[in-house]
Amino acid sequence: MSAADNKKLVQEIFAIAGDPDPAVRDRSLFMASLADDATWTVTGQYSWSRTFTGKPSIMNDLHGHVRSRLVERSRTIAHRIIADGDVVVVVAKGNNLTRAGERYDNDYCLVFRFDGGKIREVREYCDSVLTERALGAFPASQSRAAG
């Protein structure tokens, strides 16, 4: 796939997954685009920092835990998408509310690397202090399983 194709796919993923209407919101394109052995690295030096390896770990251990902490209408909105070769960079902003009623509107820089039309790697950069304040420390029970 070309850089333009990769960018278009990421635009579609964010448009569908971040739709303002929760009834329309759908993560299936993201899941279908994620390589089975993909990695998602949460950068930094805090409790969430680790590499989640494989689609089940990304979808269940990382995204599942985040979704368990947020109300259903939560979403992340892409504001800028830049593509170069097999890399697509997304600047995004959360529009989220925790189940405890606290705003969790993190700023993100997500770096996607594609291989053979699939997302092979994601590196997430965000405000780690906000993540731990709003969502809490990442559960120790999931720390070892996630890698």
Side-chain angles (χ1 to χ4, degrees):
M1 289 177 62
S2 70
D5 292 331
N6 293 337
K7 180 178 180 177
K8 184 174 189 270
L9 177 58
V10 171
Q11 287 171 323
E12 291 171 359
I13 288 169
F14 273 85
I16 295 168
D19 194 281
D21 182 353
V24 175
R25 209 169 293 152
D26 185 1
R27 297 171 50 84
S28 62
L29 179 58
F30 172 70
M31 290 175 48
S33 302
L34 196 60
D36 289 338
D37 61 347
T39 60
W40 186 298
T41 300
V42 178
T43 63
Q45 298 180 19
Y46 68 116
S47 67
W48 289 72
S49 300
R50 62 185 32 72
T51 297
F52 298 85
T53 302
K55 191 184 292 192
S57 181
I58 293 167
M59 298 310 296
N60 300 322
D61 299 335
L62 175 58
H63 291 199
H65 181 65
V66 170
R67 282 191 312 273
S68 77
R69 308 289 297 157
L70 302 175
V71 299
E72 262 186 55
R73 69 174 195 263
S74 298
R75 61 195 180 114
T76 300
I77 303 158
H79 292 286
R80 183 163 181 131
I81 301 176
I82 303 164
D84 182 26
D86 64 350
V87 175
V88 176
V89 178
V90 177
V91 177
K93 178 82 170 174
N95 183 6
N96 303 302
L97 184 66
T98 69
R99 293 185 190 272
E102 183 175 351
R103 295 298 313 167
Y104 178 63
D105 300 333
N106 215 331
D107 291 297
Y108 297 96
C109 179
L110 300 166
V111 181
F112 294 82
R113 186 178 62 80
F114 282 81
D115 183 22
K118 295 283 191 179
I119 299 167
R120 181 71 54 194
E121 176 185 0
V122 181
R123 293 188 59 82
E124 174 183 320
Y125 301 86
C126 69
D127 181 343
S128 58
V129 173
L130 175 59
T131 300
E132 285 197 325
R133 181 174 46 87
L135 303 181
F138 195 81
S141 63
Q142 291 178 301
S143 295
R144 301 297 171 243

